[in-house]
Amino acid sequence: MAETRRAFLTAALAGGAGLVAGKAAAQGDPAITELQPWSRYLGDGVDARPYGKPSRYESHVVRRNVAWLTADPISSVNFTPLHELDGIITPSGLCFERHHAGIAEIDPAQHRLMINGLVERPLVFTMQDLMRFPRENRVYFMECAANSGMEWRGAQLNGCQYTHGMIHNLVYTGVSLRRVLEEAGLRPNAKWIMPEGADASAMTRSIPIEKALEDCMIAFRMNGEALRPEQGYPLRLVVPGWEGNMWIKWLRRIEVGDEPWHHREETSKYTDLLKDGKARRFTWEMDAKSVITSPSPQAPITHGTGPTVISGMAWSGRGTIPRVDVSLDGGMNWYRARMDGPSFDKSIHRFYFEFDWDGRPLLLQSRAHDSTGYVQPTKKALREIRGVESIYHQNGIQTWHVNERGEAENVEVS
Ligand code: MTE
Ligand code: CO
């Protein structure tokens, strides 16, 4: 880290600047010399905002959808504004949403969780019952298997909100699924579970019992407060590191069985069609991936040349991210980025790369290495193995072209 800092200072000094960004003081800037309205008048009192919202100057920081992907908003997706965020936690109101039958608005007093199938004692829990189990807190990313799926055939959507925004990273509070299954008592032939949602889509997925017993959670809080309706209030299944489709929202039932159910979401959907017409199935774990969130098409460089901060995020469904490399020239030369902030298993990690921009065009890329030694592949390498027929599990290296004016665009290098 000391080395990076030294390199940065040397670069800045070599450019003749010495200062990072400040200007010489007191040149008659009205922002300093004139008294602003907020200094002149009293502000709102403590009774004005019982539930806090961001400043009105941040009103552009919102989830957005892509018109041509949204035939009907009831079964559609919107995207997390990654280019406006930093650190590792996604604010609750900005988490992307993916619903198959709209948002279920559930009265928690009427909500039940049933455990049935290959168990000794089929059980039904109220929310109050679940609150009496020992709790745990964990930080996990959740990524839709279709994240970046529109980019399989080429660069298409212009902004990391749209290319990579089907992801969020939250602190979950809940109970261990293992603990709840043990309460019901698993029969010896219990090999799979099938969680089911209470929304009108009654979504189901088959999950192997090993994963269910390893680290899955039944969560009722995100970022400290109750789950948002969009994220499955009052109960959601958390399946760390595995594709978002398995994280059943509005969880109302878990059936235990001896084989997978082969339902819609694991046959015609969420399978990867390969070049030879065969489909890869049960591709649950999300491979390591990263993206530069700023600069990016929705977050151009507006300050001109000189000291410039690249900010990005990286994650892996198999562990932590000890290292990210950044390239300024489309992958010819790589530099080690600076990881910053907490590093949790199966969570988003933040990285930065500080450099002196000389105003020449850039081809920005980032490449994640995860704790298993896996290295994020190029899109070309991915296509060689998997073809371009799938819309799922596209974790290739993203390229942003930055022009002399600092504007960025989604491109590909061959
Ligand atoms: N669970 C239910 N009950 N209904 C749904 O439509 N969508 C799934 C999954 N769980 C879904 C669901 C899909 S495809 C994804 S990617 C995630 O929830 C989206 O979670 P989010 O809305 O919190 O982003
Ligand atoms: Co999904």
Side-chain angles (χ1 to χ4, degrees):
M1 222 184 269
E3 237 172 29
T4 319
R5 175 97 191 118
R6 198 158 46 238
F8 168 62
L9 283 177
T10 318
L13 287 167
L19 292 171
V20 170
K23 288 194 183 61
Q27 301 290 325
D29 180 354
I32 298 174
T33 57
E34 305 290 318
L35 206 52
Q36 302 296 328
W38 50 84
S39 310
R40 248 180 239 237
Y41 308 110
L42 297 175
D44 281 350
V46 291
D47 51 354
R49 305 178 188 193
Y51 194 97
K53 286 200 194 118
S55 157
R56 62 190 162 103
Y57 299 103
E58 299 295 317
S59 60
H60 56 288
V61 184
V62 289
R63 305 186 271 224
R64 292 181 195 278
N65 55 33
V66 173
W68 58 266
L69 281 174
T70 304
D72 182 338
I74 297 298
S75 175
S76 193
V77 63
N78 62 22
F79 301 88
T80 308
L82 301 176
H83 59 294
E84 295 281 359
L85 305 180
D86 221 311
I88 66 163
I89 297 295
T90 314
S92 298
L94 295 176
C95 293
F96 87 95
E97 303 167 66
R98 170 77 180 102
H99 318 302
H100 290 73
I103 303 166
E105 286 280 359
I106 295 181
D107 172 358
Q110 304 306 319
H111 190 67
R112 303 288 182 269
L113 173 66
M114 180 161 95
I115 313 279
N116 70 326
L118 299 177
V119 289
E120 302 299 342
R121 295 169 296 281
L123 294 173
V124 173
F125 298 102
T126 62
M127 288 302 293
Q128 205 180 27
D129 295 334
L130 291 168
M131 299 290 178
R132 299 176 72 185
F133 281 93
R135 287 177 214 172
E136 48 189 44
N137 291 283
R138 301 279 186 278
V139 178
Y140 292 123
F141 79 83
M142 190 209 74
E143 184 183 16
C144 178
N147 199 23
S148 316
M150 295 303 118
E151 308 292 305
W152 266 113
R153 287 162 191 265
Q156 183 157 228
L157 296 167
N158 218 17
C160 65
Q161 176 165 20
Y162 309 113
T163 54
H164 291 74
M166 288 166 87
I167 186 164
H168 49 62
N169 201 57
L170 305 169
V171 187
Y172 293 97
T173 308
V175 302
S176 128
L177 175 59
R178 169 189 272 270
R179 184 74 182 72
V180 174
L181 290 174
E182 279 169 357
E183 190 92 350
L186 292 174
R187 298 245 179 104
N189 53 343
K191 292 283 177 277
W192 292 79
I193 63 160
M194 184 192 72
E196 178 185 75
D199 55 328
S201 79
M203 244 195 57
T204 48
R205 280 296 301 261
S206 305
I207 300 177
I209 198 75
E210 294 78 14
K211 180 66 176 174
L213 297 177
E214 185 194 340
D215 56 0
C216 289
M217 282 170 82
I218 298 172
F220 35 79
R221 294 192 187 279
M222 61 193 248
N223 294 343
E225 61 181 356
L227 290 174
R228 292 286 169 91
E230 301 93 303
Q231 268 66 51
Y233 178 84
L235 273 190
R236 149 170 251 173
L237 189 67
V238 168
V239 192
W242 289 25
E243 61 185 22
N245 187 254
M246 310 180 87
W247 296 48
I248 302 297
K249 302 192 274 192
W250 311 292
L251 180 69
R252 72 166 172 206
R253 189 169 74 93
I254 297 175
E255 188 173 326
V256 180
D258 56 1
E259 55 182 9
W261 283 261
H262 305 292
H263 283 181
R264 173 184 182 271
E265 304 293 308
E266 52 205 25
T267 50
S268 87
K269 304 285 182 274
Y270 299 93
T271 56
D272 307 334
L273 188 55
L274 301 177
K275 280 187 274 197
D276 60 4
K278 289 195 175 150
R280 273 199 332 159
R281 295 193 58 206
F282 294 150
T283 43
W284 303 307
E285 268 174 334
M286 298 307 291
D287 294 319
K289 189 165 166 181
S290 68
V291 66
I292 291 173
T293 51
S294 171
S296 64
Q298 299 157 286
I301 303 176
T302 53
H303 55 57
T305 57
T308 301
V309 173
I310 290 176
S311 176
M313 48 191 264
W315 60 97
S316 165
R318 297 195 180 83
T320 57
I321 300 286
R323 170 175 169 189
V324 174
D325 303 321
V326 165
S327 175
L328 306 176
D329 55 13
M332 286 192 287
N333 297 286
W334 292 96
Y335 308 96
R336 203 156 166 158
R338 184 170 63 82
M339 308 304 300
D340 186 81
S343 165
F344 298 114
D345 200 38
K346 306 179 178 73
S347 158
I348 283 177
H349 291 62
R350 179 60 52 178
F351 67 86
Y352 296 102
F353 184 75
E354 293 91 1
F355 76 111
D356 235 25
W357 184 42
D358 60 9
R360 274 184 294 193
L362 304 165
L363 284 168
L364 296 182
Q365 295 186 337
S366 63
R367 178 174 71 185
H369 299 242
D370 78 10
S371 47
T372 70
Y374 174 91
V375 183
Q376 185 183 357
T378 61
K379 286 168 91 177
K380 186 165 175 273
L382 256 192
R383 286 182 185 126
E384 272 162 20
I385 298 169
R386 305 244 298 275
V388 293
E389 300 304 323
S390 178
I391 56 161
Y392 304 110
H393 301 282
Q394 200 281 99
N395 69 319
I397 290 172
Q398 173 67 45
T399 312
W400 305 128
H401 174 257
V402 179
N403 68 19
E404 300 86 346
R405 292 184 298 282
E407 297 153 346
E409 198 185 356
N410 180 6
V411 299
E412 283 197 14
V413 289
S414 48

